Amino acid sequence: MVDFGFGLVPSSRINLDLFDKEKYDELLSIEPDARICMACGSCTAVCTAGKFVHTSLREAMEDIFNAKPDKALETLRACQLCGKCSMVCPRGINTRHLIMSITKVYSKK
Amino acid sequence: MTPLFFALAAQAADPEVIDRIPSGFSPFVLPFTIGVAFMFSWIGVGLIRLLAAIPKSDRIKFAKSLFIPKTALKNLKDLFCDCLFHTKIWQRKPLLGYMHSAIAFGWFMIIILGHIEVALFVPARLNVTRGGLFYPIFYRYFVWMNPGHTTLRGSFFFFLMDFFLLYILSGIALAIFKRFRSIVLGMRHTTKPSFADRVALYSLWLIFPLRLLAESFTADLSGGSFLTVPVNHFWHLIFGDKLWFMPTWWAYSICLGLFFAAMPFSRYMHILTEVLWILLRNAGVKPNHPRKGVAEAEIYACSSCGLCLDACPMNVQKKNLKFSSVYFIRFLRRHNEKKINDIAEKCLMCDKCHALCPVGVDAPSLRRAQRATVNNALPYDYSYLSTASGSTLAGETHATLGTVRGGTGASLCEASGGAERSEAVARPRVLPEATNKVLYFAGCMTHLTPRIIKSVEKVFNAAGVDYAFADRDGGICCGRPLMLAGKTEAAAAVIEANKKMIEKSGCDTLVLSCPICYKIFKEEYGLEGIKVVHYTQFINELIAAGKLNVQNKGERLVYHDPCELGRGCGVYFEPRAALGKVGNLVKASKEYDESICCGGSLGSLTLDTKDRSKISEASLDSLLANDPQTIVTACPLCLKTFSEAVAKTKKGDLNVSVKDFAEVLCP
Ligand code: SF4
Ligand code: SF4
Ligand code: SF4
Ligand code: SF4
């Protein structure tokens, strides 16, 4: 078969019924600023770890809203907590704490 | 007849002091004896438990250190200076220092002198079975002066005892005063005592006035000096001949007993634990748990003096007082996990409380250990580092190092003449061979403030330094932020990757422009044969060696000591020496080890932007004390924080610029 470079895209369906409100509230209780992220992507642009492996706080935040917390954890695994993102975040979010809080809350099964 | 009379007289005349009560006991000594016995057994058990909890290697290290002359000498000096004279408090707050040393040293002397008196006049009573535990304390009760036989020696001791009693009483008076008006002694904030603290505190306040009362009641019988004798006359004047001294001795003993019984549960435990902590500290034994083992000695050595309250930059806002080290330590003692974690995560890790603590309690390290108990296990994955950095990063650096040569030489600095021309930065050109191998590592934060990189390269080029730029295209983090967040194992992975890269590069000097990097490279990396320097030190050396020409423009500069550089690594002198050559250095109101964190520190995990900007304001105020034209700092985080803080200030007439150290030296 000739490979034309086309293929089936993995499902990108978002099922909001799966959204875990309890966990999200827990996250908000330890880092209330989680709700003010405007997905600008500044954090991702400067990310130290992002130079080597796919790392993105912006995406992780979206994954959480899209009920895909495991994907969020995956995109933050390589974070070095260097703090560059907190210096550029236009919303003044304490991103390091946000990242640690996401890991803390969502890695509990 | 006559010989008998003489013999009697001689016998009666000989002893200066008569042991009044043959049994050497009176029931009133019981409260004191019970209290003191309880305290000593409590401490004995605690000591054994503590020594059992520390690793064997540390125990051996500790035991050995006691016999190393140099350490022993330092122990002696520290014990005298820290425990008795409280020199560190004297240096900062003389009145407060007087208060502490009056109570500590005065009390120590009274105990020692009491024992000497007993040893001289009724030596048999030193024996524990014959009342040795309490006799020297209540000496004046148990003896009579033999009238007309007082010698100079006796009076001398009377004088000393009265002198030190007065000395202590003056300290106590200050302490009582301080409880109500702390600001007079130079403290804005003072700690809130707990219940046991209160019991111990009030009995401590009473002990010495009661001692004066008790001793003055008996002064006509058992002797006294300039203080007790006049007071005794005074009592006689008021009460006539009948003085009921028994109740006062009882009260004195009860207060002492109460104090010692409450001691293990109160902040006064520090009086004894401090000794152990100083010995452990000087032995170089470090805590690896926030509460167990060595840390236990450390947290109980805290005297709750509250000096760290005023030191802490977070306390510009009253609501943050509760995050101070003194409360952190109190909650560690009480095992209050929730509060411990909240406090541990809030702190900026600026190390100021540690630098100012009279007992040398390293609360920031304990906080880091506490964070590690929570965060170390969080699932992160750094396996990519070994491949990413080990090969590509190091490979690139290796290829460029030694083949890169600085640009146009020393003339560049003057050539640019202060004008903001970016093209003045010459791109390094490639030279075949280099002997002096300097590696420059900018770090994450410096990459966010490219003006620092630009100026550092400008300085290097102006001074003709052979250098390679390790992370021109981005590197990995130094590991300090991970460490501060309590992720010790993750930090080790990052350190490992960076270390490989640096060692492979073959450099002999590593220059860092970020104090956060500098601290960890110096302390944790263990780079053998490589000199690790901060760029302030490096540039200062360049100037001293005549490689970098600078001109004094007479600009009024103020230098901000970054936490990690100053308190963290003890670099205070070099930046100032270099800046003194290009401008006129003015003082900040708080500088050197008292410098206030800029508020941007990566140390804090939970402090939000609003709280941080309050800290920045306070720090800025201190820097602006002497009306400088330019604020100079040597840390990318400080630079960014101050630039934003200055831009934000409402004061329209604020005419000050914020510059990096390298920018000022090579404009
Ligand atoms: S803290 Fe983590 S997410 Fe933020 S820039 Fe650094 S590595 Fe990237
Ligand atoms: S920089 Fe801040 S606001 Fe923008 S995506 Fe990142 S966290 Fe959200
Ligand atoms: S930590 Fe140090 S400065 Fe703070 S209260 Fe304790 S002894 Fe005093
Ligand atoms: S390290 Fe700094 S911020 Fe933290 S408690 Fe001590 S003085 Fe306060």
Side-chain angles (χ1 to χ4, degrees), chain B residues 122-144:
Chain B
V122 270
R125 294 292 182 196
L126 272 188
N127 191 334
V128 183
T129 51
R130 301 196 55 195
L133 199 57
F134 54 83
Y135 199 92
I137 309 294
F138 303 112
Y139 174 67
R140 287 277 187 284
Y141 173 84
F142 287 111
V143 296
W144 262 339

Side-chain angles (χ1 to χ4, degrees), chain A residues 30-31 33 46 48-53 55 73-74 76-88 91-94 96-101 103-105 107, chain B residues 345 374-375 378-382 384-385 388-389 393 444-445 447-448 473-477 481-482 484-485 487 494 602-607 609 612 636-637 640 644:
Chain A
I30 52 177
E31 184 48 69
D33 282 357
V46 298
T48 307
K51 279 219 150 258
F52 303 97
V53 277
T55 309
L73 286 180
E74 187 60 33
L76 291 178
R77 272 167 75 200
C79 166
Q80 299 168 13
L81 292 177
C82 70
K84 262 168 121 177
C85 44
S86 63
M87 284 180 74
V88 296
R91 306 288 286 182
I93 299 175
N94 183 348
R96 283 171 85 222
H97 190 241
L98 178 56
I99 294 166
M100 290 180 76
S101 310
T103 325
K104 235 179 252 177
V105 171
S107 61
Chain B
E345 294 193 334
V374 179
N375 297 338
L378 291 182
Y380 286 80
D381 178 12
Y382 299 99
Y384 66 95
L385 287 177
S389 165
L393 233 188
C444 313
M445 290 300 158
H447 274 290
L448 278 183
D473 303 313
I476 56 172
C477 181
L482 277 169
L484 287 173
K487 294 187 55 59
V494 175
L602 280 177
S604 172
L605 299 179
T606 49
L607 214 56
T609 328
R612 282 175 187 268
L637 265 173
K640 191 162 183 296
E644 281 166 10

Side-chain angles (χ1 to χ4, degrees), chain B residues 508-530:
Chain B
D508 60 16
T509 307
L510 177 65
V511 183
L512 286 329
S513 54
C514 173
I516 305 169
C517 299
Y518 175 56
K519 186 169 169 73
I520 194 163
F521 273 101
K522 210 174 97 178
E523 288 177 1
E524 306 286 336
Y525 273 61
L527 294 165
E528 267 162 46
I530 300 175

Side-chain angles (χ1 to χ4, degrees), chain A residues 1 24 37 42 46-47 77 100:
Chain A
M1 267 278 271
Y24 185 64
C37 168
S42 304
V46 298
C47 182
R77 272 167 75 200
M100 290 180 76

Side-chain angles (χ1 to χ4, degrees), chain A residues 36-44 57-58 61 85 88-93 95 98:
Chain A
I36 65 171
C37 168
M38 61 183 188
C40 69
S42 304
C43 48
T44 315
L57 176 57
R58 177 194 64 80
M61 285 312 293
C85 44
V88 296
C89 177
R91 306 288 286 182
I93 299 175
T95 52
L98 178 56

